[in-house]
Amino acid sequence: MAREDKQAFKQAGSYVRRKINQLCSSQNNSAVKAALAKLRRGIGKIPGSMPELWDITMKDLPEELTGKDETPSYGEWAVHTALTLFALHQQGKDLKSQCMNKEGMTLGIAVRSLIKSDEDENRIKRRFDAAATSESMEEISHHLRGLIQLMKAENITLDYPKLTEDLYRFQFPEARDSVRLKWGRDFFRLHTNLINNS
């Protein structure tokens, strides 16, 4: 069984930050729109299975994150999943004036921001629980897609480099519970702060 590399998850997050920054700073709007459209088509697909995404999800990927056999590496899964979900989140929004990537907006905080009522809480928490208890990258990608669509509708941002790090670590059974713990703490920390400040 693979052991978690303490530096590799940071490299995965840095790679996604760099790719999003490249998209945001590009002056070629049509190329950016085309890249985001391609990425959206990659949601739920296996990393590497769509050659048109290779230059976005694999070009300049650090050696430590690149797979060595016929299956995608943990790094390839984390990067592919985060970038395709970012493209979904960004759909219909201007990348320069309304980038949906925001540092510090962790998954737990972003999901908590969706809740406006007690009724929302049960519905959203069920969806979040389904994502957090996923057993595979395909499964968590499916559940995150639904949450991202809700965030998109409410203009709630998300820290995609941090999500990448979480997704990388989530693939290691020994790290999965610590990722879940962080998500739960962030989810309820915001709620507690809102109650204390009201």
Side-chain angles (χ1 to χ4, degrees), residues 37-48:
K38 283 182 203 171
L39 282 168
R40 282 192 291 275
R41 290 194 291 276
I43 294 174
K45 303 280 195 316
I46 294 171

Side-chain angles (χ1 to χ4, degrees), residues 25-179:
S25 62
S26 173
Q27 299 304 309
N28 188 339
N29 288 342
S30 59
V32 169
K33 282 183 180 174
L36 290 171
K38 283 182 203 171
L39 282 168
R40 282 192 291 275
R41 290 194 291 276
I43 294 174
K45 303 280 195 316
I46 294 171
S49 64
M50 297 176 64
E52 65 266 36
L53 295 185
W54 291 350
D55 63 327
I56 308 169
T57 61
M58 298 171 92
K59 184 179 180 185
D60 302 323
L61 192 68
E63 188 67 29
E64 296 82 354
L65 300 178
T66 304
K68 307 293 184 266
D69 58 22
E70 63 274 8
T71 59
S73 69
Y74 292 169
E76 287 164 343
W77 264 117
V79 164
H80 174 90
T81 303
L83 286 173
T84 55
L85 289 172
F86 169 73
L88 172 66
H89 203 162
Q90 196 61 50
Q91 188 175 19
K93 301 179 190 303
D94 181 70
L95 200 49
K96 292 194 173 27
S97 65
Q98 195 180 15
C99 181
M100 300 314 288
N101 176 56
K102 183 180 180 190
E103 189 176 348
M105 193 66 160
T106 64
L107 184 62
I109 295 171
V111 172
R112 182 80 225 178
S113 302
L114 288 166
I115 297 171
K116 311 283 189 274
S117 68
D118 289 344
E119 190 179 298
D120 282 349
E121 176 139 18
N122 294 332
R123 181 174 56 88
I124 300 296
K125 179 72 168 50
R126 261 196 319 272
R127 283 174 171 249
F128 196 22
D129 290 352
T133 56
S134 296
E135 294 295 329
S136 70
M137 286 303 287
E138 291 94 334
E139 187 183 355
I140 197 169
S141 176
H142 169 75
H143 291 301
L144 287 176
R145 180 181 193 165
L147 288 168
I148 298 299
Q149 285 172 322
L150 294 175
M151 291 176 204
K152 176 182 160 191
E154 297 292 327
N155 294 320
I156 293 167
T157 56
L158 182 61
D159 187 332
Y160 278 91
K162 185 58 72 182
L163 177 66
T164 308
E165 293 179 8
D166 290 347
L167 291 174
Y168 181 90
R169 298 190 67 235
F170 197 82
Q171 295 171 81
F172 293 89
E174 73 274 13
R176 195 168 290 163
D177 281 344
S178 71
V179 174

